[in-house]
Amino acid sequence: MIAEFEEYLAKIDDPAHQDRVRTVLNWVQDTFPQLEQRFAWNQPMFTDHGTFIIGFSVAKAHMAFAPEGPVMAQFADQIAAAKYNPGKKFGRIKWTQDVDYDLLKQIIAFNIADKADVTTFWRK
């Protein structure tokens, strides 16, 4: 894990939340080893050939995952079924909820495939 990720994790007050975020970040890296770790906009994120795939952030009540708006729309039903609180560009996983790794895997794999030919950081 890159140093900036570790610095970010160290700032999470609750050790259980810190461990959970570390587990998710490590899972992404282990599951998608081709993705590059990047720290930008004050959050850990993963990129593929220089284009954004997914980012993570934390708040008092939840951990958020941000795959961009079109992906949130694509997976709206699955995100609702997981009972995650969706925003337009990100979803919130309450600290009391399980992480649906299968859903995250689908979201990340979709974004990698959908952005295979994208040459910009964000979708246009």
Side-chain angles (χ1 to χ4, degrees), residues 3 8 10 18 21-22 45 47 54-55 59 69 98 103 105 110 115:
Y8 178 83
Q18 192 179 99
V21 176
R22 178 178 282 109
M45 57 180 60
T47 63
I54 193 163
D98 290 334
L103 176 57
K105 186 174 184 178
F110 173 85
K115 295 183 81 178

Side-chain angles (χ1 to χ4, degrees), residues 65-79:
F65 61 96
E68 288 187 282
V71 183
M72 290 298 293
Q74 176 76 22
F75 287 89
D77 291 343
Q78 294 96 315
I79 291 166

Side-chain angles (χ1 to χ4, degrees), residues 1-12 17-19 21-30 32 35-47 52 54-58:
M1 190 173 304
I2 63 172
E4 292 91 348
F5 281 19
E6 288 295 345
E7 290 168 16
Y8 178 83
L9 291 167
K11 294 176 185 173
I12 300 172
H17 297 172
Q18 192 179 99
D19 287 346
V21 176
R22 178 178 282 109
T23 298
V24 170
L25 296 176
N26 284 330
W27 174 86
V28 173
Q29 193 64 67
D30 291 345
F32 299 95
L35 296 182
E36 298 108 35
Q37 298 175 2
R38 179 171 172 180
F39 191 80
W41 292 279
N42 197 34
Q43 66 177 327
M45 57 180 60
F46 293 88
T47 63
F52 176 83
I54 193 163
F56 296 91
S57 61
V58 297

